[in-house]
Amino acid sequence: TLVAGEANTDENSLFRKTVDNYIATEYPTATLTGLAKKMHLSEEHLCRKISHTYGKNFKKLLLDRRLLAAEKLLSQTDKNVEEIATAVGYDNISYFYRCFYAKHRQTPKQYRTATT
């Protein structure tokens, strides 16, 4: 017999795995709409469930993943910052710079110099 809450844990674990996988593989073009369709949930329900499960919203999860990918590319490749920004999903280069600076308190170029 199932202990109360066990099924819920499995459901949460499957939910988390699906969201994590989507963001990890689709981060350059990922959207809340795309994830909602994939999971057959309304965007509103998905937003609430992500916030409840992760303690942050979809946009923040996606931002974290994109910046992580950018950090990796900055320290492991010689691609220029604009190429990296585009590769991780930013159309607006100055927005990428602002997001990156907000997290690291240094520009992508300064980050690259400090980590290589």
Side-chain angles (χ1 to χ4, degrees):
T1 61
L2 274 179
V3 179
E6 238 179 62
N8 199 15
T9 305
D10 288 347
E11 191 182 302
N12 281 344
S13 149
L14 180 63
F15 175 78
R16 192 179 264 278
K17 190 185 257 181
T18 305
V19 172
D20 289 349
N21 186 48
Y22 177 78
I23 288 177
T25 57
E26 306 293 329
Y27 67 87
T29 57
T31 62
L32 183 66
T33 305
L35 181 57
K37 280 182 182 160
K38 181 182 173 75
M39 297 184 81
H40 308 290
L41 296 170
S42 73
E43 289 181 36
E44 295 79 16
H45 181 70
L46 182 58
C47 273
R48 282 194 301 276
K49 200 162 168 147
I50 286 174
S51 292
H52 178 77
T53 305
Y54 290 89
K56 52 176 108 168
N57 64 23
F58 176 80
K59 190 175 176 182
K60 179 74 174 110
L61 282 177
L62 189 56
L63 174 83
D64 290 348
R65 183 63 184 87
R66 285 177 171 172
L67 289 178
L68 185 67
E71 292 157 19
K72 210 177 215 174
L73 289 169
L74 283 164
S75 58
Q76 296 175 1
T77 72
D78 58 2
K79 288 184 176 187
N80 70 42
V81 175
E82 288 73 21
E83 288 174 311
I84 289 172
T86 304
V88 301
Y90 289 91
D91 299 327
N92 183 325
I93 305 303
S94 65
Y95 181 64
F96 169 71
Y97 269 92
R98 285 197 305 278
C99 292
F100 197 93
Y101 191 86
K103 179 177 181 186
H104 293 285
R105 293 286 165 230
Q106 55 188 355
T107 67
K109 286 178 179 141
Q110 291 167 330
Y111 178 89
R112 172 176 271 162
T113 304
T115 58
T116 51

